[in-house]
Amino acid sequence: MPFSPAFNPATDHTRLGGLFYDVVTPAEFPRHILRYRNNRAAVTVGLDTLTDAEWVQHFGRFAPLPGSLEHPLALRYHGHQFQQYNPDLGDGRGFLFAQLRDRRGRLLDLGTKGSGRTPWSRGGDGRLTLKGGVREILAAAMLEALGVETSRAFSLIETGEDLERGDEPSPTRSSVLVRLGHSHIRIGTFQRLAANGETQAIAQLVEYVLETYYPELSVPEGGSGAQVLFDAVCRNVARVGTQWMAAGFVHGVLNTDNIAITGESFDYGPWRFLPRFDPSFTAAYFDQTGLYAYGRQPQALLWNLARLAECLLEFSSHKDLTDALARFPALYETELDAAWCRRLGVIQDNPESDRALRHAVTLFMETSGIPFHCLPFDWYGGGASRERALAGPRGDIYKDAAFNEARTQLEARTPIPGLSLDHPYFTGGLPCDMLITTVETLWTSLSEQDDWQMLDRKLAEIDLMADALRTRPMEA
Ligand code: AMP
Ligand code: MG
């Protein structure tokens, strides 16, 4: 049986109508070598029972999933790239392939990257490098394991073409990626309608997004749906931003077309994880001014939210929209406290002590230069990890007076429920990282030895971490 009973196809996006997308044809590839199938994600949408051949048929040749979209849809959007408005955007190498619902009834997209040219490709080839595909798998897996609300990499198929790229030794191998995520509607989707003066379509999109992605929200009598939506987007975007910060993640390209209306983190290009706590650390080599540096991510998100507010001016009051923007910094700070408690494996206490803990720990991380991923590993659960931290390889750093304040804060904290410091991840003594050196070493073994077990091993290591951190306990 190819589809499990959990498979629940949907076509919701077509309700929006042709103004929002173009029907496109997938590229035909010379080869289809299945490199990655995310079975854990597939279980959640009833696609785990596909054979590999069926999988390739759907996620490499894009045979429609029965009951879902009949044709791929390249989505239309504009956006600000590095704060410059660019109307020449849209799905230029991807499309919405299918929609489905998970067991809780939430709508999910299967969107592609590298599936061929579209009306929005302009000069581009519509393709994704194999390295780009592998990097998206690694980023999504690591972020998910660190508790970040992120899209999942669902499938990666190598496609047998030679690609020319300025930022990779070329020719370089090609791939097609499918990601599973909560919406590919972006801030840029609204911006395009606003730029074209399509006021009615903005109203339609607001209603669609509220109904589809925010069913728990209600619009008060005489209130503005756009405002309710905007408040919710601000909350979700603030939350995901803080999750990145606590994960030590630099997205790299925080353009308005890369910000989903659900706030879910997605689209992983030149991302990096921080080696050390450094607000000026920049991921993308083409980000010369550091606009999207680690410490500037919250400002970038707020700037993007202001661009969304501009699209909603016809549907809410200027004051209500700017009030929502003005609440962002405080909202962000509160969420950041929560994100750091989570990152350190301790339960939240009260606003003052949570703030004090976060300040002490991040100040120490910044001034000491300790590897970013090490301190949360060593002190996971706070005081419960005291013996382990002090006896471990960084014990001397933690015995230094410079650590006193952070140590006092950590030792006062209660670990998250279910934490086991006997877990093999902790007893193994090696924190899992996704530093650029790790990524490049992995890529070298994939590309030079074609050793794909290396990728499996890294993903298993990430799973072990997720289990230990209790961000995603393994099913018994
Ligand atoms: P991204 O950096 O992946 O968010 O893409 C930014 C914009 O460039 C989007 O409109 C993409 O569709 C487009 N784009 C990126 N790479 C290509 C490519 N190889 N071919 C066509 N369009 C592309
Ligand atoms: Mg993008």
Side-chain angles (χ1 to χ4, degrees), residues 1-7 37 42 45-55 57-59 65-66:
M1 186 178 65
F3 296 96
S4 96
F7 176 63
R37 56 178 278 175
V45 290
L47 292 169
D48 53 310
T49 48
L50 296 183
T51 63
D52 279 356
E54 288 165 337
W55 185 278
Q57 215 32 41
H58 293 299
F59 307 122
L65 291 177

Side-chain angles (χ1 to χ4, degrees), residues 29-183:
F29 299 112
R31 299 191 66 189
H32 298 88
I33 310 163
L34 180 55
R35 293 299 189 193
Y36 174 66
R37 56 178 278 175
N38 186 339
N39 278 322
R40 198 161 33 75
V43 168
T44 67
V45 290
L47 292 169
D48 53 310
T49 48
L50 296 183
T51 63
D52 279 356
E54 288 165 337
W55 185 278
V56 167
Q57 215 32 41
H58 293 299
F59 307 122
R61 294 194 178 85
F62 299 103
L65 291 177
S68 188
L69 305 177
E70 285 174 28
H71 307 282
L73 306 177
L75 306 184
R76 299 180 183 178
Y77 54 84
H78 291 175
H80 276 90
Q81 299 183 303
F82 291 88
Q83 300 189 342
Q84 298 297 312
Y85 195 71
N86 185 357
D88 286 332
L89 289 174
D91 275 345
R93 57 166 163 174
F95 47 63
L96 181 64
F97 168 60
Q99 291 190 298
L100 18 75
R101 287 181 200 282
D102 65 13
R103 288 193 210 114
R104 290 164 50 200
R106 294 222 295 168
L107 184 68
L108 285 154
D109 289 353
L110 287 168
T112 65
K113 196 168 182 178
S115 50
R117 304 193 77 245
T118 77
W120 312 108
S121 302
R122 277 114 204 161
D125 59 6
R127 302 302 200 264
L128 173 69
T129 67
L130 184 61
K131 186 176 184 183
V134 169
R135 283 181 51 90
E136 175 130 355
I137 293 172
L138 293 173
M142 189 70 181
L143 288 174
E144 185 196 351
L146 292 174
V148 178
E149 284 156 72
T150 174
S151 66
R152 313 274 148 94
F154 192 75
S155 166
L156 187 71
I157 292 174
E158 184 170 358
T159 48
E161 295 179 319
D162 286 336
L163 304 180
E164 294 296 326
R165 288 291 183 273
D167 51 7
E168 281 182 40
S170 296
T172 186
R173 289 151 74 175
S174 65
S175 70
V176 65
L177 175 93
V178 178
R179 74 163 79 97
L180 181 68
H182 295 96
S183 186

